[in-house]
PDB file of all heavy atoms in Angstrom:
ATOM      1  N   ASP A   1     112.620  96.121 103.496  1.00 95.00           N
ATOM      2  CA  ASP A   1     113.779  97.015 103.544  1.00 95.00           C
ATOM      3  C   ASP A   1     114.784  96.719 102.436  1.00 95.00           C
ATOM      4  O   ASP A   1     115.311  97.635 101.817  1.00 95.00           O
ATOM      5  CB  ASP A   1     114.474  96.908 104.909  1.00 95.00           C
ATOM      6  CG  ASP A   1     113.661  97.542 106.026  1.00 95.00           C
ATOM      7  OD1 ASP A   1     113.033  98.586 105.776  1.00 95.00           O
ATOM      8  OD2 ASP A   1     113.644  96.992 107.135  1.00 95.00           O
ATOM      9  N   CYS A   2     115.038  95.436 102.189  1.00 93.00           N
ATOM     10  CA  CYS A   2     116.067  95.071 101.205  1.00 93.00           C
ATOM     11  C   CYS A   2     115.563  95.113  99.766  1.00 93.00           C
ATOM     12  O   CYS A   2     116.332  95.360  98.840  1.00 93.00           O
ATOM     13  CB  CYS A   2     116.603  93.674 101.517  1.00 93.00           C
ATOM     14  SG  CYS A   2     117.582  93.601 103.030  1.00 93.00           S
ATOM     15  N   ALA A   3     114.282  94.838  99.565  1.00 97.00           N
ATOM     16  CA  ALA A   3     113.726  94.811  98.207  1.00 97.00           C
ATOM     17  C   ALA A   3     112.314  95.392  98.207  1.00 97.00           C
ATOM     18  O   ALA A   3     111.341  94.717  97.870  1.00 97.00           O
ATOM     19  CB  ALA A   3     113.707  93.380  97.664  1.00 97.00           C
ATOM     20  N   PRO A   4     112.181  96.673  98.573  1.00 97.00           N
ATOM     21  CA  PRO A   4     110.845  97.269  98.731  1.00 97.00           C
ATOM     22  C   PRO A   4     110.023  97.304  97.455  1.00 97.00           C
ATOM     23  O   PRO A   4     108.801  97.109  97.512  1.00 97.00           O
ATOM     24  CB  PRO A   4     111.156  98.685  99.245  1.00 97.00           C
ATOM     25  CG  PRO A   4     112.563  98.962  98.819  1.00 97.00           C
ATOM     26  CD  PRO A   4     113.249  97.645  98.885  1.00 97.00           C
ATOM     27  N   GLU A   5     110.655  97.556  96.310  1.00 98.00           N
ATOM     28  CA  GLU A   5     109.892  97.629  95.055  1.00 98.00           C
ATOM     29  C   GLU A   5     109.328  96.266  94.664  1.00 98.00           C
ATOM     30  O   GLU A   5     108.170  96.156  94.252  1.00 98.00           O
ATOM     31  CB  GLU A   5     110.782  98.178  93.941  1.00 98.00           C
ATOM     32  CG  GLU A   5     111.175  99.638  94.146  1.00 98.00           C
ATOM     33  CD  GLU A   5     112.024 100.167  93.003  1.00 98.00           C
ATOM     34  OE1 GLU A   5     112.251  99.411  92.023  1.00 98.00           O
ATOM     35  OE2 GLU A   5     112.458 101.337  93.078  1.00 98.00           O
ATOM     36  N   LEU A   6     110.134  95.223  94.808  1.00 98.00           N
ATOM     37  CA  LEU A   6     109.667  93.871  94.491  1.00 98.00           C
ATOM     38  C   LEU A   6     108.593  93.441  95.494  1.00 98.00           C
ATOM     39  O   LEU A   6     107.603  92.795  95.119  1.00 98.00           O
ATOM     40  CB  LEU A   6     110.836  92.890  94.509  1.00 98.00           C
ATOM     41  CG  LEU A   6     111.915  93.107  93.439  1.00 98.00           C
ATOM     42  CD1 LEU A   6     113.048  92.114  93.617  1.00 98.00           C
ATOM     43  CD2 LEU A   6     111.323  92.991  92.037  1.00 98.00           C
ATOM     44  N   ALA A   7     108.791  93.801  96.754  1.00 98.00           N
ATOM     45  CA  ALA A   7     107.801  93.470  97.777  1.00 98.00           C
ATOM     46  C   ALA A   7     106.451  94.110  97.457  1.00 98.00           C
ATOM     47  O   ALA A   7     105.400  93.475  97.593  1.00 98.00           O
ATOM     48  CB  ALA A   7     108.291  93.919  99.149  1.00 98.00           C
ATOM     49  N   GLU A   8     106.487  95.351  97.013  1.00 98.00           N
ATOM     50  CA  GLU A   8     105.237  96.044  96.693  1.00 98.00           C
ATOM     51  C   GLU A   8     104.569  95.447  95.464  1.00 98.00           C
ATOM     52  O   GLU A   8     103.327  95.387  95.384  1.00 98.00           O
ATOM     53  CB  GLU A   8     105.501  97.532  96.499  1.00 98.00           C
ATOM     54  CG  GLU A   8     104.232  98.369  96.330  1.00 98.00           C
ATOM     55  CD  GLU A   8     103.237  98.195  97.469  1.00 98.00           C
ATOM     56  OE1 GLU A   8     103.663  97.941  98.611  1.00 98.00           O
ATOM     57  OE2 GLU A   8     102.013  98.290  97.193  1.00 98.00           O
ATOM     58  N   ARG A   9     105.351  95.002  94.491  1.00 98.00           N
ATOM     59  CA  ARG A   9     104.778  94.344  93.310  1.00 98.00           C
ATOM     60  C   ARG A   9     104.019  93.085  93.714  1.00 98.00           C
ATOM     61  O   ARG A   9     102.894  92.841  93.253  1.00 98.00           O
ATOM     62  CB  ARG A   9     105.884  93.977  92.322  1.00 98.00           C
ATOM     63  CG  ARG A   9     106.426  95.141  91.509  1.00 98.00           C
ATOM     64  CD  ARG A   9     107.545  94.686  90.594  1.00 98.00           C
ATOM     65  NE  ARG A   9     107.095  93.642  89.665  1.00 98.00           N
ATOM     66  CZ  ARG A   9     107.922  92.916  88.919  1.00 98.00           C
ATOM     67  NH1 ARG A   9     109.225  93.102  89.009  1.00 98.00           N
ATOM     68  NH2 ARG A   9     107.432  92.005  88.099  1.00 98.00           N
ATOM     69  N   ILE A  10     104.621  92.289  94.592  1.00 98.00           N
ATOM     70  CA  ILE A  10     103.957  91.071  95.075  1.00 98.00           C
ATOM     71  C   ILE A  10     102.722  91.435  95.882  1.00 98.00           C
ATOM     72  O   ILE A  10     101.657  90.822  95.739  1.00 98.00           O
ATOM     73  CB  ILE A  10     104.932  90.232  95.932  1.00 98.00           C
ATOM     74  CG1 ILE A  10     106.069  89.684  95.063  1.00 98.00           C
ATOM     75  CG2 ILE A  10     104.188  89.090  96.623  1.00 98.00           C
ATOM     76  CD1 ILE A  10     107.166  88.989  95.858  1.00 98.00           C
ATOM     77  N   ASN A  11     102.855  92.442  96.733  1.00 98.00           N
ATOM     78  CA  ASN A  11     101.738  92.857  97.575  1.00 98.00           C
ATOM     79  C   ASN A  11     100.527  93.282  96.732  1.00 98.00           C
ATOM     80  O   ASN A  11      99.395  92.887  97.017  1.00 98.00           O
ATOM     81  CB  ASN A  11     102.187  94.007  98.471  1.00 98.00           C
ATOM     82  CG  ASN A  11     101.129  94.427  99.464  1.00 98.00           C
ATOM     83  OD1 ASN A  11     100.560  93.605 100.169  1.00 98.00           O
ATOM     84  ND2 ASN A  11     100.860  95.726  99.521  1.00 98.00           N
ATOM     85  N   LYS A  12     100.779  94.058  95.697  1.00 98.00           N
ATOM     86  CA  LYS A  12      99.686  94.516  94.835  1.00 98.00           C
ATOM     87  C   LYS A  12      99.067  93.365  94.045  1.00 98.00           C
ATOM     88  O   LYS A  12      97.840  93.285  93.898  1.00 98.00           O
ATOM     89  CB  LYS A  12     100.193  95.597  93.880  1.00 98.00           C
ATOM     90  CG  LYS A  12     100.461  96.936  94.552  1.00 98.00           C
ATOM     91  CD  LYS A  12     100.895  97.979  93.534  1.00 98.00           C
ATOM     92  CE  LYS A  12     101.099  99.344  94.196  1.00 98.00           C
ATOM     93  NZ  LYS A  12     101.539 100.370  93.219  1.00 98.00           N
ATOM     94  N   ALA A  13      99.908  92.474  93.534  1.00 97.00           N
ATOM     95  CA  ALA A  13      99.394  91.337  92.756  1.00 97.00           C
ATOM     96  C   ALA A  13      98.527  90.434  93.624  1.00 97.00           C
ATOM     97  O   ALA A  13      97.461  89.974  93.199  1.00 97.00           O
ATOM     98  CB  ALA A  13     100.561  90.544  92.163  1.00 97.00           C
ATOM     99  N   ALA A  14      98.978  90.187  94.849  1.00 98.00           N
ATOM    100  CA  ALA A  14      98.213  89.331  95.753  1.00 98.00           C
ATOM    101  C   ALA A  14      96.918  90.004  96.192  1.00 98.00           C
ATOM    102  O   ALA A  14      95.860  89.367  96.284  1.00 98.00           O
ATOM    103  CB  ALA A  14      99.058  88.967  96.965  1.00 98.00           C
ATOM    104  N   GLY A  15      96.997  91.302  96.447  1.00 97.00           N
ATOM    105  CA  GLY A  15      95.792  92.030  96.842  1.00 97.00           C
ATOM    106  C   GLY A  15      94.760  92.065  95.736  1.00 97.00           C
ATOM    107  O   GLY A  15      93.559  92.013  95.997  1.00 97.00           O
ATOM    108  N   LYS A  16      95.242  92.163  94.500  1.00 98.00           N
ATOM    109  CA  LYS A  16      94.336  92.228  93.345  1.00 98.00           C
ATOM    110  C   LYS A  16      93.487  90.978  93.209  1.00 98.00           C
ATOM    111  O   LYS A  16      92.320  91.039  92.833  1.00 98.00           O
ATOM    112  CB  LYS A  16      95.149  92.461  92.079  1.00 98.00           C
ATOM    113  CG  LYS A  16      94.317  92.666  90.824  1.00 98.00           C
ATOM    114  CD  LYS A  16      95.216  92.952  89.630  1.00 98.00           C
ATOM    115  CE  LYS A  16      94.400  93.146  88.355  1.00 98.00           C
ATOM    116  NZ  LYS A  16      95.289  93.423  87.177  1.00 98.00           N
ATOM    117  N   THR A  17      94.063  89.816  93.527  1.00 98.00           N
ATOM    118  CA  THR A  17      93.321  88.550  93.409  1.00 98.00           C
ATOM    119  C   THR A  17      92.839  88.037  94.765  1.00 98.00           C
ATOM    120  O   THR A  17      92.379  86.902  94.879  1.00 98.00           O
ATOM    121  CB  THR A  17      94.187  87.476  92.726  1.00 98.00           C
ATOM    122  OG1 THR A  17      95.427  87.348  93.433  1.00 98.00           O
ATOM    123  CG2 THR A  17      94.450  87.831  91.274  1.00 98.00           C
ATOM    124  N   ASN A  18      93.018  88.872  95.805  1.00 98.00           N
ATOM    125  CA  ASN A  18      92.454  88.570  97.123  1.00 98.00           C
ATOM    126  C   ASN A  18      93.072  87.337  97.768  1.00 98.00           C
ATOM    127  O   ASN A  18      92.385  86.522  98.382  1.00 98.00           O
ATOM    128  CB  ASN A  18      90.931  88.398  97.031  1.00 98.00           C
ATOM    129  CG  ASN A  18      90.249  88.607  98.372  1.00 98.00           C
ATOM    130  OD1 ASN A  18      90.639  89.473  99.156  1.00 98.00           O
ATOM    131  ND2 ASN A  18      89.229  87.803  98.653  1.00 98.00           N
ATOM    132  N   VAL A  19      94.410  87.196  97.626  1.00 98.00           N
ATOM    133  CA  VAL A  19      95.107  86.088  98.260  1.00 98.00           C
ATOM    134  C   VAL A  19      96.265  86.627  99.093  1.00 98.00           C
ATOM    135  O   VAL A  19      96.698  87.764  98.929  1.00 98.00           O
ATOM    136  CB  VAL A  19      95.640  85.069  97.229  1.00 98.00           C
ATOM    137  CG1 VAL A  19      94.486  84.440  96.456  1.00 98.00           C
ATOM    138  CG2 VAL A  19      96.656  85.716  96.284  1.00 98.00           C
ATOM    139  N   ALA A  20      96.773  85.793  99.990  1.00 98.00           N
ATOM    140  CA  ALA A  20      97.904  86.171 100.835  1.00 98.00           C
ATOM    141  C   ALA A  20      99.148  85.397 100.410  1.00 98.00           C
ATOM    142  O   ALA A  20      99.070  84.276  99.908  1.00 98.00           O
ATOM    143  CB  ALA A  20      97.593  85.896 102.300  1.00 98.00           C
ATOM    144  N   VAL A  21     100.309  86.019 100.636  1.00 98.00           N
ATOM    145  CA  VAL A  21     101.610  85.424 100.326  1.00 98.00           C
ATOM    146  C   VAL A  21     102.502  85.585 101.553  1.00 98.00           C
ATOM    147  O   VAL A  21     102.522  86.649 102.168  1.00 98.00           O
ATOM    148  CB  VAL A  21     102.266  86.121  99.117  1.00 98.00           C
ATOM    149  CG1 VAL A  21     103.678  85.582  98.887  1.00 98.00           C
ATOM    150  CG2 VAL A  21     101.425  85.968  97.867  1.00 98.00           C
ATOM    151  N   VAL A  22     103.254  84.547 101.896  1.00 98.00           N
ATOM    152  CA  VAL A  22     104.167  84.652 103.027  1.00 98.00           C
ATOM    153  C   VAL A  22     105.432  83.850 102.753  1.00 98.00           C
ATOM    154  O   VAL A  22     105.397  82.815 102.093  1.00 98.00           O
ATOM    155  CB  VAL A  22     103.509  84.159 104.338  1.00 98.00           C
ATOM    156  CG1 VAL A  22     103.354  82.636 104.358  1.00 98.00           C
ATOM    157  CG2 VAL A  22     104.295  84.621 105.561  1.00 98.00           C
ATOM    158  N   GLY A  23     106.551  84.366 103.261  1.00 98.00           N
ATOM    159  CA  GLY A  23     107.807  83.637 103.246  1.00 98.00           C
ATOM    160  C   GLY A  23     108.093  83.129 104.645  1.00 98.00           C
ATOM    161  O   GLY A  23     107.982  83.873 105.618  1.00 98.00           O
ATOM    162  N   THR A  24     108.415  81.848 104.758  1.00 98.00           N
ATOM    163  CA  THR A  24     108.635  81.272 106.079  1.00 98.00           C
ATOM    164  C   THR A  24     109.735  80.227 106.028  1.00 98.00           C
ATOM    165  O   THR A  24     110.349  79.976 104.999  1.00 98.00           O
ATOM    166  CB  THR A  24     107.342  80.667 106.645  1.00 98.00           C
ATOM    167  OG1 THR A  24     107.538  80.353 108.031  1.00 98.00           O
ATOM    168  CG2 THR A  24     106.929  79.407 105.893  1.00 98.00           C
ATOM    169  N   GLY A  25     109.990  79.612 107.158  1.00 97.00           N
ATOM    170  CA  GLY A  25     111.025  78.600 107.300  1.00 97.00           C
ATOM    171  C   GLY A  25     111.429  78.559 108.753  1.00 97.00           C
ATOM    172  O   GLY A  25     110.894  79.293 109.587  1.00 97.00           O
ATOM    173  N   VAL A  26     112.393  77.720 109.062  1.00 95.00           N
ATOM    174  CA  VAL A  26     112.846  77.669 110.448  1.00 95.00           C
ATOM    175  C   VAL A  26     113.734  78.861 110.774  1.00 95.00           C
ATOM    176  O   VAL A  26     113.726  79.385 111.874  1.00 95.00           O
ATOM    177  CB  VAL A  26     113.569  76.327 110.739  1.00 95.00           C
ATOM    178  CG1 VAL A  26     114.854  76.197 109.927  1.00 95.00           C
ATOM    179  CG2 VAL A  26     113.867  76.186 112.215  1.00 95.00           C
ATOM    180  N   ASN A  27     114.497  79.328 109.767  1.00 94.00           N
ATOM    181  CA  ASN A  27     115.418  80.438 109.992  1.00 94.00           C
ATOM    182  C   ASN A  27     115.886  80.979 108.648  1.00 94.00           C
ATOM    183  O   ASN A  27     116.708  80.355 107.995  1.00 94.00           O
ATOM    184  CB  ASN A  27     116.617  79.947 110.807  1.00 94.00           C
ATOM    185  CG  ASN A  27     117.631  81.036 111.067  1.00 94.00           C
ATOM    186  OD1 ASN A  27     117.272  82.191 111.204  1.00 94.00           O
ATOM    187  ND2 ASN A  27     118.899  80.671 111.101  1.00 94.00           N
ATOM    188  N   PRO A  28     115.349  82.111 108.201  1.00 96.00           N
ATOM    189  CA  PRO A  28     114.390  82.982 108.884  1.00 96.00           C
ATOM    190  C   PRO A  28     112.971  82.403 108.881  1.00 96.00           C
ATOM    191  O   PRO A  28     112.686  81.461 108.161  1.00 96.00           O
ATOM    192  CB  PRO A  28     114.451  84.264 108.066  1.00 96.00           C
ATOM    193  CG  PRO A  28     114.785  83.797 106.686  1.00 96.00           C
ATOM    194  CD  PRO A  28     115.737  82.648 106.869  1.00 96.00           C
ATOM    195  N   GLY A  29     112.134  83.009 109.697  1.00 97.00           N
ATOM    196  CA  GLY A  29     110.742  82.602 109.779  1.00 97.00           C
ATOM    197  C   GLY A  29     110.310  82.211 111.176  1.00 97.00           C
ATOM    198  O   GLY A  29     109.149  82.353 111.545  1.00 97.00           O
ATOM    199  N   PHE A  30     111.272  81.730 111.996  1.00 98.00           N
ATOM    200  CA  PHE A  30     110.877  81.282 113.325  1.00 98.00           C
ATOM    201  C   PHE A  30     111.967  81.503 114.373  1.00 98.00           C
ATOM    202  O   PHE A  30     111.855  82.368 115.225  1.00 98.00           O
ATOM    203  CB  PHE A  30     110.476  79.808 113.293  1.00 98.00           C
ATOM    204  CG  PHE A  30     110.024  79.264 114.621  1.00 98.00           C
ATOM    205  CD1 PHE A  30     108.827  79.679 115.181  1.00 98.00           C
ATOM    206  CD2 PHE A  30     110.812  78.358 115.312  1.00 98.00           C
ATOM    207  CE1 PHE A  30     108.417  79.196 116.424  1.00 98.00           C
ATOM    208  CE2 PHE A  30     110.412  77.864 116.551  1.00 98.00           C
ATOM    209  CZ  PHE A  30     109.208  78.281 117.104  1.00 98.00           C
ATOM    210  N   LEU A  31     113.061  80.717 114.321  1.00 97.00           N
ATOM    211  CA  LEU A  31     113.994  80.663 115.438  1.00 97.00           C
ATOM    212  C   LEU A  31     114.695  81.975 115.752  1.00 97.00           C
ATOM    213  O   LEU A  31     114.970  82.272 116.926  1.00 97.00           O
ATOM    214  CB  LEU A  31     115.044  79.571 115.190  1.00 97.00           C
ATOM    215  CG  LEU A  31     114.558  78.137 115.399  1.00 97.00           C
ATOM    216  CD1 LEU A  31     115.619  77.150 114.946  1.00 97.00           C
ATOM    217  CD2 LEU A  31     114.210  77.890 116.864  1.00 97.00           C
ATOM    218  N   MET A  32     115.021  82.751 114.720  1.00 97.00           N
ATOM    219  CA  MET A  32     115.795  83.967 114.970  1.00 97.00           C
ATOM    220  C   MET A  32     114.991  85.239 114.736  1.00 97.00           C
ATOM    221  O   MET A  32     115.569  86.325 114.636  1.00 97.00           O
ATOM    222  CB  MET A  32     117.061  83.969 114.106  1.00 97.00           C
ATOM    223  CG  MET A  32     117.965  82.780 114.378  1.00 97.00           C
ATOM    224  SD  MET A  32     119.570  82.827 113.525  1.00 97.00           S
ATOM    225  CE  MET A  32     120.561  83.721 114.736  1.00 97.00           C
TER     226      MET A  32
END
């Protein structure tokens, strides 16, 4: 929602090389 164009660039790059990308942490990512 906040950065859809950048998100799609990462999504396409990762899909092209058949790898996954994720952002995580305790917060955001888990507790909230």
Side-chain angles (χ1 to χ4, degrees):
D1 289 323
C2 291
E5 293 182 3
L6 295 177
E8 187 55 31
R9 283 178 59 192
I10 293 173
N11 185 50
K12 287 183 177 179
K16 185 177 179 180
T17 54
N18 202 38
V19 298
V21 175
V22 72
T24 191
V26 65
N27 179 33
F30 181 69
L31 284 172
M32 300 187 89

